[in-house]
Structures are given as C-alpha cells and as structure tokens.
C-alpha cells in the first residue's frame, strides 16, 4: 500500500489529453513539492516534472503538472505512442521523514 | 556527462550481506544529497535511504532501519549501501539517484536477489 495514491492505469488515443492524479495528505503533498517520474519499459526512471509544475530541460511542454491542497495531477496533451510508460508521483513526507511514491500509473496509448 | 553507475548486486542467501556502490561523475558529488531507490520485480518505486552532502544527516525507510547503512566518500565520488540481514522482500533493482529537490539523475540500477 503506497502512501500516495495513483490510479493503476490510464489510457488514451494519439493526440488526446490524459491526466493522472496523485492523492496524498497534509504531511506530504500538502506540505511539500511534488515530482513526477516517467519510466519507459526496461529503463531507469526519468525526472519528468519537479516542484509541482516545472519541466527539466528536454522535457516537451506537452507534459505539465499541478498541485492543489493534498492532491496533484500530471497532464499529457497531444498523446504520442512513445508516451506509453509507467508514471510515478513523489513527495517528501514530514511525518515519515522520507520520500514517498505513488504506486504508479501504467499509461497505454491505444 | 553527468553519470551514476551502480555495482555490487548479485544473488545472496536470506540473512546474508551485500554492499552496493555508486560511482558518480560529471558533477560535483560533494554538493548534493544522494539517495537509494529500489524497485521489486513488477512493482513500483520505493525510496530506501538518503544522505546529506557531508553525511551529517541520514534518513531510512522504516523497513530497512537497523539493517541497511548508507554512506558516502566524497573524495572518491562514491555512494554506498551496506545491506545486512537481507530478506526475500529486499529483492529488487537498486538505483542510486542524485537528490537535490527531486531525483534528477539516476543510475542504470543493480539487481539484488535474496534467495536460498
């Protein structure tokens, strides 16, 4: 059971916009920044969004993040086949004194 | 090029020990927090431990407290994870990651299998 809650799966067709939610509590998302990671099959995770809504250099602006209260969301617009991957949210938890992850969302491009 | 390379994984019996290493290059290692993150086969990501630049602050996930020890050698640009009293549930790919405010650089991972 993960501290942060994500839907296990999401899907969309090419060109569509999809969102992935991440729910937490006052000790993690409510108190700290949220980061998102993309893990393509068979590879190490990659930082996708940091500080709630910032994109590292090289990440397309099709990816965006937002946070409100104890929840966060990742949005992917103009969905492409290469976006098919697992997506994880993460935040520091002040009660646990550690990083916590969501369980991950497997995105399928139909 | 900024790079992290893990080593030291392998097959170990329950109750055994293993020491993982992570060699950093392409950035000033001594100025960054560093973390270990693991992923059990077919499962999600789990943060294991992190360590401050000078080693003065260290945090662990509850499931490894008292069994795992994270350390670093800034002169060698290296991060370590000493794993003792290993259990089957510790079987995972272990990644080291640079940890300023997010895990912005990851290694390729090293597999640890705990089995008799």
């Amino acid at each position: 059971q993960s501290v942060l809650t994500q839907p296990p799966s999401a899907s969309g067709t090419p060109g569509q916009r999809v969102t992935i939610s991440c729910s937490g509590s006052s000790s993690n998302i409510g108190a700290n920044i949220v980061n998102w990671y993309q893990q393509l099959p068979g590879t190490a995770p990659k930082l996708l969004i940091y500080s709630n809504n910032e994109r590292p250099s090289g990440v397309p602006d099709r990816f965006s993040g937002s946070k409100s209260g104890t929840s966060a969301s990742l949005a992917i617009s103009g969905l492409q086949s290469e976006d098919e991957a697992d997506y994880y949210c993460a935040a520091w938890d002040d009660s646990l004194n550690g990083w916590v992850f969501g369980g991950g969302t497997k995105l399928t491009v139909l | 090029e900024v790079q992290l390379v893990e080593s030291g994984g392998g097959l170990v019996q329950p109750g055994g020990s293993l020491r993982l290493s992570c060699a950093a290059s392409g950035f000033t290692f001594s100025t960054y927090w560093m973390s270990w993150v693991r992923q059990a086969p077919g499962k999600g990501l789990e943060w294991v431990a992190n360590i401050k630049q000078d080693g003065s602050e260290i945090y662990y996930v509850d499931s490894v407290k008292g069994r795992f020890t994270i350390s670093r050698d800034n002169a060698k640009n290296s991060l370590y994870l000493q794993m003792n009293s290993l259990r089957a549930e510790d079987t995972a790919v272990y990644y080291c990651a640079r940890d300023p405010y997010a895990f912005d650089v990851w290694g390729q991972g090293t597999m640890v299998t705990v089995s008799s």
Side-chain angles (χ1 to χ4, degrees):
Chain A
Q1 194 82 354
S2 302
V3 174
L4 305 182
T5 301
Q6 297 179 236
S9 64
S11 64
T13 56
Q16 226 178 5
R17 181 178 188 271
V18 297
T19 61
I20 297 171
S21 62
C22 176
S23 177
S25 68
S26 59
S27 63
N28 42 65
I29 293 178
N32 298 297
I33 60 169
V34 177
N35 304 314
W36 290 89
Y37 300 90
Q38 178 193 57
Q39 187 175 32
L40 297 170
T43 69
K46 165 193 166 184
L47 179 62
L48 193 65
I49 297 287
Y50 67 94
S51 294
N52 304 325
N53 55 17
E54 301 292 331
R55 283 185 308 276
S57 173
V59 173
D61 60 6
R62 302 187 296 104
F63 295 90
S64 62
S66 64
K67 184 183 109 168
S68 178
T70 59
S71 294
S73 290
L74 171 71
I76 310 171
S77 60
L79 199 61
Q80 299 180 5
S81 58
E82 55 261 40
D83 298 333
E84 195 160 278
D86 293 324
Y87 293 85
Y88 296 89
C89 59
W92 182 263
D93 192 296
D94 291 339
S95 295
L96 297 174
N97 273 328
W99 287 100
V100 291
F101 282 96
T105 299
K106 184 175 183 61
L107 175 63
T108 301
V109 180
L110 303 169
Chain B
E1 179 194 3
V2 173
Q3 197 172 12
L4 297 170
V5 179
E6 302 93 337
S7 60
L11 174 64
V12 61
Q13 292 189 338
S17 298
L18 214 52
R19 189 196 196 206
L20 306 183
S21 298
C22 171
S25 59
F27 65 99
T28 306
F29 178 76
S30 61
T31 64
Y32 288 90
W33 280 78
M34 296 294 296
S35 272
W36 287 99
V37 177
R38 67 184 178 182
Q39 186 170 35
K43 302 297 185 182
L45 301 172
E46 180 184 38
W47 170 81
V48 174
N50 66 356
I51 183 168
K52 194 177 179 179
Q53 291 91 330
D54 61 358
S56 61
E57 283 186 54
I58 288 174
Y59 300 97
Y60 297 98
V61 67
D62 281 350
S63 59
V64 308
K65 283 179 182 174
R67 301 188 300 122
F68 289 12
T69 302
I70 188 173
S71 63
R72 64 191 297 162
D73 185 335
N74 289 338
K76 295 183 177 180
N77 292 330
S78 292
L79 177 72
Y80 306 102
L81 186 67
Q82 177 66 44
M83 304 185 296
N84 298 330
S85 302
L86 282 161
R87 306 167 180 168
E89 53 265 36
D90 296 318
T91 294
V93 174
Y94 285 73
Y95 297 100
C96 67
R98 198 171 73 172
D99 177 8
Y101 43 80
F103 305 125
D104 66 340
V105 179
W106 296 70
Q108 86 288 350
T110 187
M111 183 70 203
V112 172
T113 303
V114 184
S115 175
S116 55

